[in-house]
């Protein structure tokens, strides 16, 4: 596959638009996952469901932050597969946050609702990047089509 210079530039610009959002997500997730740690280890007297939700939230933030950092780097480079990587990573992060929020719902705690909300935001972001990845495929021209002129239409 090859692209014309105009198409190649359009693809790079479209992919690079994703970099700022991926960088922001990476910074926030790594800050809360590594530095703050959401209170670190859950208390041993918590029910298993709450402990599992807390561990899932913590590891989703840590691993997801690294994935978003990689997505940022790939997006800055401007290659189209960066959108596919970001889409898959965002959906995985969204599922992790949503499930951890659902596991942690107990009583009047507000943070599980935020995890569910952020999970939905990440899943939507993954869907949007998947769609943009597929839309940019239309800009790529097969090598044969680029080299072979279109046949002339017969005039009657």
């Amino acid at each position: 596959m090859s692209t014309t210079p105009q198409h190649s530039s359009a693809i790079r610009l479209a992919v690079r638009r994703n970099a700022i959002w991926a960088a922001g997500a990476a910074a926030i997730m790594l800050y809360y996952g590594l530095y703050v740690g959401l209170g670190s280890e859950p208390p041993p007297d918590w029910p298993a469901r709450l402990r599992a939700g807390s561990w899932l939230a913590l590891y989703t933030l840590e691993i997801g932050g690294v994935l978003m950092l990689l997505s940022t780097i790939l997006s800055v480079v401007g290659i189209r597969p960066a959108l596919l990587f970001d889409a898959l990573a965002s959906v995985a992060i969204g599922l992790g946050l949503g499930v951890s929020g659902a596991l942690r719902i107990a009583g009047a705690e507000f943070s599980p609702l935020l995890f569910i909300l952020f999970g939905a935001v990440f899943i939507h972001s993954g869907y949007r990047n998947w769609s943009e990845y597929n839309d940019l495929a239309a800009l790529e021209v097969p090598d044969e089509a680029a080299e072979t002129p279109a046949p002339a239409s017969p005039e009657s």
Side-chain angles (χ1 to χ4, degrees), residues 3-152:
T3 59
T4 64
Q6 295 86 6
H7 290 156
S8 180
S9 177
I11 290 172
R12 275 194 309 277
L13 288 174
V15 173
R16 286 181 180 160
R17 279 193 309 247
N18 184 54
I20 190 73
W21 300 108
I28 292 169
M29 292 176 76
L30 288 172
Y31 173 75
Y32 282 102
L34 296 175
Y35 182 70
V36 175
L38 293 177
S40 295
E41 189 169 330
D45 60 337
W46 277 15
R49 179 178 56 87
L50 294 177
R51 289 179 57 80
S54 293
W55 283 115
L56 181 60
L58 181 63
Y59 287 124
T60 298
L61 292 175
E62 290 175 354
I63 296 168
V66 172
L67 290 176
M68 285 291 106
L69 187 60
L70 290 173
S71 177
T72 301
I73 293 167
L74 291 173
S75 294
V76 167
V77 171
I79 56 175
R80 189 172 71 93
L83 292 173
L84 178 62
F85 178 81
D86 189 275
L88 296 174
S90 293
V91 169
I93 292 166
L95 289 173
L97 291 175
V99 170
S100 71
L103 288 172
R104 293 178 65 204
I105 286 184
E109 217 176 78
F110 186 67
S111 65
L113 297 176
L114 290 175
F115 277 98
I116 292 171
L117 175 67
F118 288 131
V121 168
F122 270 96
I123 290 172
H124 176 70
S125 174
Y127 171 75
R128 183 184 48 80
N129 283 332
W130 178 270
S131 296
E132 191 163 3
Y133 173 79
N134 287 329
D135 291 344
L136 290 177
L139 293 178
E140 291 189 349
V141 181
D143 291 334
E144 300 85 31
E147 296 172 1
T148 308

Side-chain angles (χ1 to χ4, degrees), residues 152-156:
S153 62
E155 296 180 344
S156 316

